[in-house]
Amino acid sequence: MASGGRSYQLYAGVVTIFSHLIAITVTVLVLVWLLKFQGGFAFKSGNTQKIFNLHPFLMVVGLIVIGGEAIMAYKTMPGTRRAHKGVHIILHLLALLAGILGTYAVFKFKDETDPFFQFLLGFFTFFFSGAAMPARANILPWHTFFGMVIFLLAVCTAETGLLQRFITLGLGLNQEGLIVNFTGLLIFLFAVTVTLSVILPRNHY
């Protein structure tokens, strides 16, 4: 039994490392896509497309990548539980800030035609995730459960958004299309590894 337990702990560590690598790759791919193919991004610009480009960047890197790292904080870093909780809260606050700015970018984009519902869904669900920190140990399982549901809803929202952009831009099997496709695939794999990190026991340091 002991050896089996150690194997699970080792596997959890491998999963979280793999998840970090995916997070870095997703961030790089989103930056390459927006900077090289979509003209970059800015809060103020005569080119409204640059303003809109802030939305996918902040939602993917903020809500999903940083939000996912916040979920894994208890499994990926050494230290006391209090330190884990502090990092968990800080990362969720950063994800919340990114969600606010990303939603603002959509409203500022003058020619936006996509429905706002899917964007607001990811933002508000992450907002309530950060606000409802467990006060007692007996609600911790529910906090974890609903936190994961919210995270996975945000992932689904991002995948839908990438699909919409893929169709709207008329992308095919070109370089930009491959980047968007691989970004969507890696976001899915990131969600899988984050979920596994929650299920598996935490490593002992």
Side-chain angles (χ1 to χ4, degrees):
M1 293 297 292
S3 60
R6 290 182 63 84
S7 66
Y8 273 111
Q9 292 164 10
L10 177 61
Y11 185 65
V14 172
V15 167
T16 54
I17 292 173
F18 186 53
S19 187
H20 295 324
L21 294 176
I22 294 176
I24 294 171
T25 306
V26 167
T27 302
V28 171
L29 285 177
V30 171
L31 285 172
V32 170
W33 175 42
L34 295 176
L35 294 176
K36 182 177 180 180
F37 296 98
Q38 294 298 308
F41 43 78
F43 275 108
K44 292 184 179 181
S45 175
N47 183 355
T48 55
Q49 182 61 44
K50 289 186 177 182
I51 298 175
F52 176 78
N53 287 344
L54 280 170
H55 175 75
F57 173 73
L58 291 171
M59 291 303 187
V60 172
V61 177
L63 285 182
I64 294 178
V65 172
I66 298 180
E69 293 292 339
I71 292 172
M72 295 188 296
Y74 287 97
K75 299 291 183 73
T76 59
M77 59 175 290
T80 64
R81 184 170 181 81
R82 184 175 182 179
H84 299 158
K85 186 175 182 179
V87 173
H88 178 77
I89 294 174
I90 290 172
L91 290 177
H92 266 312
L93 288 175
L94 290 175
L96 171 62
L97 177 61
I100 293 173
L101 295 176
T103 304
Y104 170 75
V106 171
F107 282 103
K108 194 174 180 181
F109 181 60
K110 302 299 183 180
D111 299 321
E112 171 62 27
T113 57
D114 293 334
F116 287 117
F117 175 74
Q118 67 166 355
F119 305 128
L120 294 178
L121 175 63
F123 164 66
F124 282 115
T125 52
F126 261 84
F127 173 80
F128 288 115
S129 173
M133 296 302 296
R136 298 179 302 178
N138 61 350
I139 66 171
L140 179 59
W142 292 107
H143 171 73
T144 303
F145 172 74
F146 285 112
M148 286 306 303
V149 169
I150 289 164
F151 172 73
L152 294 175
L153 283 174
V155 169
C156 291
T157 301
E159 298 285 14
T160 303
L162 287 175
L163 177 61
Q164 285 185 340
R165 293 300 292 169
F166 187 91
I167 295 173
T168 301
L169 296 173
L171 302 178
L173 296 178
N174 52 27
Q175 190 176 13
E176 183 178 3
L178 291 175
I179 288 176
V180 173
N181 275 319
F182 274 108
T183 300
L185 175 61
L186 289 175
I187 288 174
F188 170 76
L189 292 177
F190 182 68
V192 171
T193 55
V194 170
T195 303
L196 280 175
S197 75
V198 172
I199 295 173
L200 295 171
R202 182 181 185 276
N203 289 11
H204 292 291
Y205 295 95

